Amino acid sequence: MTRPDPRIPPVIRQLDEATANRIAAGEVVERPASAVKELVENALDAGATRIAIAIAGGGKRLVRVTDDGCGMAAGDLPLALARHATSKIDGSDLLDIRSFGFRGEALPSLGAVGRLTITSRAEGHEAARIAIEGGRIEPARPAAANRGTAVELRDLFFATPARLRFLRTDRAETQAIAEVVRRLAMAEPSVAFTLTDEDEARVLFRADAEQGDLFDALSARIGRVMGREFIENAIPLDAERDGLRLTGLAALPTYSRGAAVAQHLYVNGRPVRDKLLTGALRAGYFDVLPQGRHPAAVLFVHCDPQGVDVNVHPAKAEVRFREPDAARGLVVASLRHALAGAGHRASSTGGAATLAAMRPAPGLSSWRSPSPSQAALAAAHAAQAPLMPIAPQGFAEAPDPTFPAAARIEPEAEAPHAPLGAARAQLHGNWIVAQSRDGIVIVDQHAAHERLVYERLKSQAAGARVPSQALLIPAIVDLGADAERVLAASLDLDRLGLVIEPFGPGCVAVRKLPAALGQADATALLRDIADDLAEQGASDRLQGRLDAVLSSMACHGSVRSGRSLTGEEMNALLREMERTPRSGQCNHGRPTWVELKLSDIERLFGR
């Protein structure tokens, strides 16, 4: 940074309004997607039921948002372009915010860095149009328009061309705009949205207004945005505690993603990217996801507006709860309860992936025979009638020594109505094949039993204090300002076997460690816990280390691959899977079973 000459005393200057608006635009409008977000939120605050967004050049050349909301009278248009002028609050209580916008900065900020035109008509008033270019406002003029408002922004950042160099390609900016529209559309199922790219004359996103009660409409809108697969593999959430309510859909652990792109969090209908809620979402999927995988979820937190401060971020993307522990606890507990209630469920995409991996052998075509007539079928049935008793020997009468038996067949029995069916065979010493009512279930016997043993060990350890082991020489860890935060959580850490106490300014003494961790690095463990508490307000790191020990014990104590199981043992394993929570995935987050529907198998064979 270039420092001013200390010999010249600094002079405080009052910035002109145009410069102040451009500075404000730097906070509010980072890219074209930010402009779309502000304008669409204004339309929602106006009570719109239909919102049409049109863009060109990735939003750099054109952003147009048209709505059928309440509109504005001609006399209000100049005031709408003034900074900190708004109809959404009266300034008496900044904690009672019930609208998306409330600062009155978006329109003047956009007008300071682009060419902005607003055409609006309120019920009972004549339509009017006003324009602002680079901060210069033109007088309002009569116009022709239906009720509602149309805001057109052209040449974004023409007044600050240096900002254009930091924007990405048109394609990347278009994708960012589409993501903003989809996030807002999920929270407003009763509003119809359309996003059009005028360069390519195509509709990028369309969502008609959903019908039915709120939950049905919300589920339909989420399915339209997230896809049918997400709905099929999601668990509904509806919980309430301490004045907070959580609703939404959370995907099964086996429907995880490689990045956190399918996580959508809302507070009182406002889309947010909040560290506390993101951390709570991760904690809710604790010990059911493998490393590097991320859950998919759409969560709505509802609370009294007085219980959350939305005025802590320039773009209102973060919030601050009055009771953050209550908000985090509700999300974590609700997710864990819902995932446990899902029992043996696994992602339906596993069976589809299995079928997709099956291909005809080389040289075989996927020819489908023509359907025979009814007369041909009757003749075929008559020709196939047995003329003599069938010999008791069949295909098994001459075993081929070239191919050793890798499967054991169970006697035929009536397939039960249980979800995982009845065991029919064991293949290669590890794969249980079961027959369900309408398909085939394939179970990884080692992974399934490992999960069952792990859940049993966790249940046994949940009710007792974790045994600890005293250190011969206490470890002194210098945490600086984080020491007070860690010491405040000492009671929770003590229950998990980690005993700490204060040791001078900024230092913590570690007296005991959980016995199950063996020779653990106390300093590294405590620093990691301090980082978690600073970032998320809570830490599951110690519990995770202990669960990892239980997971290792479960792995060694479970049925090994290659072990031959009897029919009774295989069926007992299936029944226990149906009774055990989270048995649909192993300790590493992989599915323990997949199901192939009979209809899909028939289609695979061209039937």
Side-chain angles (χ1 to χ4, degrees):
M1 179 181 295
T2 303
R3 299 183 179 275
D5 190 336
R7 295 170 298 180
I8 303 176
V11 178
I12 299 177
R13 302 178 180 84
Q14 178 70 50
L15 297 177
D16 60 84
E17 186 175 354
T19 302
N21 282 338
R22 290 175 186 173
I23 294 174
E27 296 179 340
V28 178
V29 187
E30 301 175 8
R31 57 194 305 189
S34 305
V36 172
K37 171 183 174 294
E38 296 291 341
L39 296 179
V40 173
E41 286 181 349
N42 280 346
L44 292 171
D45 285 339
T49 60
R50 292 189 305 275
I51 301 176
I53 307 105
I55 62 172
K60 304 170 193 175
R61 289 192 287 107
L62 170 67
V63 170
R64 183 191 304 116
V65 177
T66 307
D67 67 69
D68 63 348
C70 62
M72 293 179 285
D76 289 335
L77 289 179
L79 198 57
L81 296 176
R83 289 188 68 199
H84 307 308
T86 179
S87 62
K88 300 168 186 178
I89 60 173
D90 58 8
S92 61
D93 190 353
L94 287 180
L95 290 179
D96 191 22
I97 305 297
R98 301 176 184 271
S99 57
F100 284 104
F102 54 88
R103 294 176 181 153
E105 289 184 325
L107 293 178
S109 296
L110 293 173
V113 295
R115 296 182 172 91
L116 187 72
T117 303
I118 304 174
T119 305
S120 188
R121 184 172 81 83
E123 192 71 35
H125 294 78
E126 296 296 325
R129 177 182 292 116
I130 193 170
I132 176 173
E133 180 176 322
R136 296 187 301 274
I137 304 177
E138 299 179 1
R141 298 175 180 175
N146 296 323
R147 195 195 76 162
T149 303
V151 182
E152 185 174 279
L153 174 65
R154 292 186 177 273
D155 303 325
L156 182 63
F157 298 135
F158 91 95
T160 53
R163 297 282 302 275
L164 290 171
R165 294 198 296 267
F166 295 91
L167 297 182
R168 301 175 66 185
T169 64
D170 290 358
R171 180 182 179 84
E173 296 297 342
T174 298
Q175 291 174 343
I177 290 172
E179 177 63 18
V180 165
V181 174
R182 283 193 292 265
R183 286 175 64 86
L184 289 169
M186 275 195 286
E188 300 290 340
S190 61
V191 179
F193 290 81
T194 306
L195 173 61
T196 306
D197 187 341
E198 294 199 347
D199 287 334
E200 302 180 6
R202 66 187 182 97
V203 176
L204 302 176
F205 174 77
R206 180 186 179 91
D208 297 328
E210 307 294 344
Q211 305 299 320
D213 60 40
L214 180 59
F215 189 81
D216 290 342
L218 193 60
S219 298
R221 175 59 60 84
I222 293 174
R224 190 183 298 273
V225 176
M226 299 284 287
R228 182 179 298 276
E229 272 190 357
F230 174 79
I231 297 296
E232 293 174 348
N233 294 282
I235 309 166
L237 299 172
D238 192 350
E240 191 168 357
R241 188 173 71 184
D242 299 331
L244 297 167
R245 186 182 180 192
L246 176 69
T247 59
L249 294 169
L252 295 168
T254 46
Y255 187 79
S256 60
R257 299 296 186 89
V261 295
Q263 298 176 4
H264 302 281
L265 307 174
Y266 300 83
V267 176
N268 289 343
R270 182 190 304 277
V272 297
R273 299 186 185 276
D274 188 73
K275 291 182 179 179
L276 182 141
L277 294 179
T278 303
L281 177 60
R282 287 200 305 265
Y285 281 82
F286 181 68
D287 88 346
V288 294
L289 281 183
Q291 188 73 20
R293 302 297 295 178
H294 300 267
V298 181
L299 305 182
F300 297 87
V301 178
H302 310 272
C303 65
D304 189 300
Q306 298 279 350
V308 60
D309 187 359
V310 300
N311 193 26
V312 296
H313 189 271
K316 302 183 285 289
E318 297 179 6
V319 297
R320 182 175 297 140
F321 289 95
R322 177 176 293 179
E323 299 290 342
D325 291 342
R328 186 181 189 279
L330 174 64
V331 174
V332 174
S334 301
L335 284 170
R336 290 181 177 174
H337 182 268
L339 293 174
H344 67 280
R345 277 188 65 188
S347 170
S348 63
T349 57
T354 305
L355 288 169
M358 296 180 179
R359 295 288 183 269
L364 297 181
S365 67
S366 56
W367 173 80
R368 178 187 293 270
S369 62
S371 300
S373 64
Q374 291 297 324
L377 284 174
H381 289 158
Q384 293 173 19
L387 301 178
M388 62 183 68
I390 299 175
Q393 290 81 15
F395 292 109
E397 64 185 43
D400 189 347
T402 308
F403 299 98
R408 203 185 71 264
I409 310 301
E410 288 300 310
E412 182 74 15
E414 188 68 25
H417 294 305
L420 296 182
R424 288 286 181 258
Q426 183 187 32
L427 307 179
H428 297 285
N430 188 61
W431 309 101
I432 298 173
V433 179
Q435 178 184 342
S436 61
R437 282 182 295 177
D438 57 352
I440 299 173
V441 174
I442 304 175
V443 179
D444 182 340
Q445 70 181 37
H446 171 68
H449 194 247
E450 181 181 355
R451 186 76 200 190
L452 299 180
V453 175
Y454 177 52
E455 292 295 332
R456 194 180 306 130
L457 290 173
K458 284 202 305 180
S459 298
Q460 293 170 357
R465 183 184 180 278
V466 175
S468 58
Q469 173 180 294
L471 299 180
L472 185 62
I473 301 176
I476 309 302
V477 184
D478 186 357
L479 297 177
D482 292 333
E484 185 177 349
R485 188 182 292 112
V486 173
L487 289 170
S490 60
L491 291 179
D492 292 332
L493 297 176
D494 183 88
R495 182 181 57 82
L496 295 173
L498 179 62
V499 179
I500 61 174
E501 59 184 36
F503 192 85
C507 293
V508 175
V510 181
R511 296 288 183 183
K512 297 180 181 180
L513 285 173
L517 297 185
Q519 299 298 320
D521 186 341
T523 301
L525 176 61
L526 209 60
R527 291 190 186 281
D528 288 343
I529 292 174
D531 292 341
D532 290 342
L533 292 173
E535 181 179 357
Q536 306 171 17
S539 177
D540 296 309
R541 191 173 297 272
L542 183 56
Q543 184 66 58
R545 297 278 291 272
L546 294 171
D547 285 348
V549 174
L550 296 180
S551 177
S552 179
M553 294 168 59
C555 182
H556 291 288
S558 60
V559 173
R560 310 301 298 177
S561 297
R563 175 181 167 182
S564 178
L565 300 179
T566 66
E568 290 77 11
E569 289 174 327
M570 289 189 287
N571 281 309
L573 179 65
L574 297 178
R575 301 292 82 77
E576 189 174 357
M577 288 177 64
E578 294 164 353
R579 293 190 299 267
T580 303
R582 294 176 286 272
S583 63
Q585 60 278 331
C586 72
N587 300 354
H588 312 292
R590 296 186 293 268
T592 56
W593 63 277
V594 296
E595 183 177 19
L596 309 179
K597 294 295 185 182
L598 192 58
S599 57
D600 294 329
I601 298 173
E602 291 174 343
R603 190 160 53 248
L604 185 67
F605 283 90
R607 298 182 64 179

